């Protein structure tokens, strides 16, 4: 009979690499931790991982930090615990065999070098010298990291478990958590303990690290964890001469395969283009050390392609064709963080086949988050609350997962659009926009127009490219229409909330850095901050009357914003209702937007009667709409919030009146290029939870003097008092009109790297690629600093001269917006 401790501060559920790493780091922070494993440590997915240890390959700073930290941790754990991790820095080579991939890896390696990964581009001959068994006739280049290599996943996990025990953690095997107990309701519902067949353990926090079981365990507590297991394969050949343990790891994504030595032969790992979800209904509770029957027929073409890279694998016998399940997510990012549904219920699951090589960093970050209350790296792309609850539906998971695993080895061109699980959310205008030849992309499940094909053309994306896509000129025309005439944009995917109650204004004002509770009928742009003055959210709040507010945030922030409000409204007369699907958002933007709309309403839209930031309900044909004069493109413009059932009517009226004003439909590609020229921020893209509001350049939206203060105010005041900033977001414009910026391009001043482009677009008015880069320097970053240096941005392997500016290079005085 297992003896359970009656209580612990944290219970970690699951003894795979993620659970043990989390327990290790929590124990290291001095916390009282119990880890419960249903069967034996590693018995889930971890036991059969290939153990590739790769720091190269990501353009996420967070993921790269995880990878570097993990590699360092696994190199030092043996000295600390006496248990080897099997880590061997045998080197890692990524092959580029097509121009698109060469460009991608050059871009990635420049960014990875900036992050401290020593990656070298090597020739085909050098690949052959390092891996003489490979065929290199089609190799354009290899990307080589000498310090990367391989580890033994079971040994890694045992070492983490041992290290955790040495630091005071209790690890119990053979104890399945049958439920997480909670108390309270609504926003105050919180974890109180876990139940097992051997009794309960009281705890303050749980961390669900139950791998592919995490979803069903979460569901028991009403926590949505949209991940899905899928088959994942490698083949192991018989032993043969000419291969040794010191052989580097070789990855050939174009041919779906990777190679490393295993037992005197080769392991041929696979990431097939079209994969097979496993047990969409429910992962069997008792499944341990699983080996699934391999689907030879489905996998044969991929095996053949992979083995063609190392021809000897065709001549030696096959010892094993292994298939095991691994968890995947819709966007190939893990599911991490505190569940919106239950306080102190943390999750770390859905590792998308990089759980071993990121596990150390993941555990470190999670322990930091739990023990300090906030993560210390950008988690906007990983946070559990970016995901929507419909994504856990069986049909969604079954459909999207077919695509996920294959994306790992795809060439990651910009503007990629998933092709599975489409049509989940349609704007009321969908059919109208389809008739306008919209090219739809998946925006948090919404079908949203990225751009429109002109009459006589089909909205085909065409070939993916790092250069100018075939629709570049159509995109440019939409951009220019917004600058010169007027455009209509369907933005119905934006997250919309009705906030009501006697305390609504005061509570909103407490969480908002700007003053959002002034005059009614006014929209206010604001950030929400944490106690350290760092960004929690970036959004608008419109005061409709003393007890009614309209809050709008970006699609990916939908659950984050709602959760944040609920938690800050708890115990007050303030209530939030998500009305996203109830209203279409139709944006009419551009210098002729007022003229156009004025023909459709009896409300006076003149500058005097309806100034910038005004918000009023207006008549439009037979409809009533909330009309807000605000812009995210840097022009005179209006956002119309129309009840879903009247959206088509309003749209038809606008389109019918449009020709006289040069109205054009515009998609979110134009939105991106317009806002980027104006330097407007996008949370989760160019600003994130690691930036303070001042570093983000948003000090103008902070009302330091408003009565009652606001959350994070002291930190803002302290940072102001500390003197000029050495970390700041700047706009970067390439001097040459040709190259395209995407993301992660390194920015240098006088040859010294200071940061990278976090988000970018093409500035059709500025005439060149434009981005926002967060820079950090040894001296204050101000206008003089920016104008005195020689600036370059590294795109693939070339340095391109650029300008760097704190003020937007398009309409810095805001004349267009307020006119
Ligand atoms: C073929 C293959 C090759 C791979 N190769 C690599 C690689 O080269 N590099 C890499 O980084 N990654 C690789 N991976 C991925 C890697 O194995 C996973 O990302 C990682 O193991 C996930 O770890 P985890 O801790 O999240 O899940 P798991 O290892 O599955 O751990 C979850 C644990 O939770 C336990 N559990 C579940 N429910 C409960 C409960 N109710 N109570 C208590 N315990 C519970 C389970 O028993 C299990 O032990 C590979 C995966 C596969 C399938």
């Amino acid at each position: 009979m297992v003896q359970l401790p009656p209580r612990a501060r944290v219970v970690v559920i699951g003894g795979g690499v993620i659970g043990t790493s989390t327990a290790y780091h929590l124990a290291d922070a001095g916390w009282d931790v119990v880890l419960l494993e249903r069967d034996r440590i590693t018995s889930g997915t971890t036991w059969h991982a290939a153990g590739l240890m790769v720091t190269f390959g990501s353009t996420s700073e967070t993921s790269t930090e995880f990878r570097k930290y993990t590699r360092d941790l696994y190199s030092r754990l043996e000295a600390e615990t006496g248990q080897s991790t099997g880590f061997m820095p045998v080197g890692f080579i990524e092959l580029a065999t097509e121009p698109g991939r060469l460009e991608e890896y050059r871009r990635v390696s420049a960014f990875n070098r900036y992050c401290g990964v020593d990656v070298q581009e090597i020739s085909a001959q050098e690949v052959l010298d390092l891996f003489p068994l490979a065929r290199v006739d089609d190799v354009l280049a290899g990307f080589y990291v000498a310090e990367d290599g391989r580890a033994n996943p079971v040994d890694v996990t045992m070492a983490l478990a041992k290290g955790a025990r040495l630091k005071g953690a209790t690890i119990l095997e053979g104890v399945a958590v049958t439920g997480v107990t909670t108390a309270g309701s609504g926003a105050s519902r919180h974890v109180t303990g876990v139940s097992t067949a051997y009794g309960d353990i009281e705890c303050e926090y749980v961390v669900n690290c139950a791998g592919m079981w995490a979803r069903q365990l979460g569901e028991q507590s009403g926590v949505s964890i949209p991940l899905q297991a899928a088959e994942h394969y490698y083949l192991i050949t018989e032993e043969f001469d000419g291969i040794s343990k010191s052989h580097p790891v070789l990855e050939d994504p174009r041919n779906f395969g990777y190679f490393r030595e295993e037992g005197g032969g080769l392991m041929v790992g696979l990431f097939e283009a079209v994969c097979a979800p496993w047990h969409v209904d429910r992962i069997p509770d008792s499944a341990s050390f699983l080996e699934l029957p391999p689907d030879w027929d489905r996998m044969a073409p991929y095996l053949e392609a992979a083995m063609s890279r190392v021809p000897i694998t065709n001549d030696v016998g096959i010892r094993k064709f292994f298939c095991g399940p691994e968890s995947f997510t819709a966007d190939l990012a893990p599911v991490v963080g505190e569940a919106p549904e239950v306080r102190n219920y943390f999750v770390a699951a859905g590792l998308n086949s990089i759980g071993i090589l990121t596990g150390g960093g993941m555990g470190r970050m999670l322990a930091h988050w739990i023990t300090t209350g906030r993560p210390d790296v950008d988690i906007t792309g990983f946070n559990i609350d970016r995901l929507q609850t419909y994504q856990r539906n069986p049909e969604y998971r079954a459909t999207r997962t077919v695509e996920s695993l294959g994306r790992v080895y795809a060439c990651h061109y910009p503007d990629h659009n998933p092709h599975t699980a489409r049509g989940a959310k349609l704007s009321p205008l969908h059919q109208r926009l389809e008739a306008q030849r919209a090219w739809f992309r998946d925006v948090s499940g919404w079908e949203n127009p990225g751009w429109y094909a002109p009459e006589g053309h089909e909205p085909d994306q065409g070939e993916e490219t790092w250069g100018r896509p075939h629709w570049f000129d159509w995109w440019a025309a939409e951009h220019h229409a917004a600058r010169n005439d007027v455009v209509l944009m369907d933005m119905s995917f934006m997250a919309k909330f009705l906030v009501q109650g006697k305390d609504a204004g005061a509570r909103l004002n407490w969480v908002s850095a700007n003053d959002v509770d002034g005059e009614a009928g006014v929209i206010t742009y604001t950030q929400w901050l944490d106690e350290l003055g760092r960004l929690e959210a970036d959004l608008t709040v419109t005061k409709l009357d003393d007890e009614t507010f309209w809050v709008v945030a970006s699609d990916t922030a939908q659950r984050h914003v709602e959760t944040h409000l609920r938690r800050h409204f708890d115990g007050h007369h303030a209530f939030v209702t998500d009305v996203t699907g109830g209203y279409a958002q139709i944006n009419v933007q551009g210098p002729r937007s007022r003229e156009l709309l004025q023909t459709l309403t009896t409300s006076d839209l003149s500058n005097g009667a309806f100034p910038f930031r005004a918000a009023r309900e207006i008549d439009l044909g037979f409809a009533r709409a909330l009309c807000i004069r605000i812009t995210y493109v840097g022009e005179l413009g209006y956002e119309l919030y129309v009840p879903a059932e009247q959206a088509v009517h309003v749209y038809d009226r606008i389109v019918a009146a449009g020709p006289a004003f040069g109205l054009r439909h515009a998609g979110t590609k134009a939105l991106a290029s317009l806002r980027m020229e104006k330097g407007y921020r996008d949370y989760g893209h160019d600003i994130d939870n690691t930036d303070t509001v001042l570093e983000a350049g948003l000090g103008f939206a902070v009302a330091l003097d408003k009565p009652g203060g606001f959350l994070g105010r002291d930190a803002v005041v302290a940072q102001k008092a500390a003197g000029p900033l050495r970390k700041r977001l700047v706009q970067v414009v390439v001097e040459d009109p040709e190259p395209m910026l995407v993301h992660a391009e390194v920015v240098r001043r006088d040859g010294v790297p200071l940061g990278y482009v976090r988000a970018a677009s093409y500035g059709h008015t500025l005439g060149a690629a434009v981005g926002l880069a967060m820079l950090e320097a040894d001296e204050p970053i101000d206008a003089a600093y920016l104008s005195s240096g020689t600036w370059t941005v590294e795109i693939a392997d070339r340095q391109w001269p650029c300008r760097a500016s704190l003020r937007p290079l398009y309409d810095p005085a805001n004349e267009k917006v307020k006119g």
Side-chain angles (χ1 to χ4, degrees), residues 13-20 36-53 153 175-178 209-214 217 230-234 258 271 287-288 322-327 348-358:
I13 307 169
V17 68
I18 301 301
T20 52
L36 300 180
E37 164 55 42
R38 179 189 60 109
D39 188 351
R40 277 164 41 212
I41 299 283
T42 76
S43 61
T45 297
T46 298
W47 77 279
H48 56 234
L52 268 49
M53 292 296 302
V175 184
V177 170
T178 52
C209 301
M212 61 187 164
W213 293 268
L217 183 65
E231 294 180 5
H232 197 20
Y233 287 86
Y234 52 70
Y258 62 82
F271 280 88
S288 283
F322 179 86
C323 176
E326 159 68 336
S327 308
L351 271 297
N352 298 291
S353 208
I354 55 170
I356 309 300
L357 66 90
T358 56

Side-chain angles (χ1 to χ4, degrees), residues 19-93:
T20 52
S21 174
T22 304
Y24 171 89
H25 289 92
L26 283 166
D28 188 54
W31 275 41
D32 166 27
V33 191
V34 171
L35 182 151
L36 300 180
E37 164 55 42
R38 179 189 60 109
D39 188 351
R40 277 164 41 212
I41 299 283
T42 76
S43 61
T45 297
T46 298
W47 77 279
H48 56 234
L52 268 49
M53 292 296 302
V54 185
T55 54
F56 169 78
S58 174
T59 51
S60 150
E61 192 176 347
T62 300
S63 183
T64 308
E65 192 272 336
F66 282 1
R67 290 160 184 245
K68 281 174 51 197
Y69 175 85
T70 303
R71 192 182 65 187
D72 293 348
L73 176 69
Y74 297 175
S75 340
R76 62 181 155 82
L77 262 185
E78 184 172 358
E80 184 183 316
T81 63
Q83 162 72 52
S84 163
T85 59
F87 175 63
M88 288 193 285
V90 292
F92 167 81
I93 309 161

Side-chain angles (χ1 to χ4, degrees), residues 175-247:
V175 184
V177 170
T178 52
V180 174
T181 54
T182 62
S185 60
S188 63
R189 185 166 166 239
H190 61 278
V191 165
T192 55
V194 298
S195 306
T196 80
Y198 305 98
D200 295 354
I201 302 180
E202 270 177 41
C203 62
E204 274 176 60
Y205 296 84
V206 294
V207 195
N208 179 344
C209 301
M212 61 187 164
W213 293 268
R215 189 190 70 245
Q216 58 211 42
L217 183 65
E219 261 168 24
Q220 281 177 252
S221 306
V223 170
S224 178
I225 305 173
L227 55 78
Q228 174 58 46
E231 294 180 5
H232 197 20
Y233 287 86
Y234 52 70
L235 176 145
I236 297 171
T237 72
E238 297 287 3
E239 276 181 58
F240 60 89
D241 290 338
I243 183 88
S244 74
K245 283 203 176 310
S246 59
H247 246 75

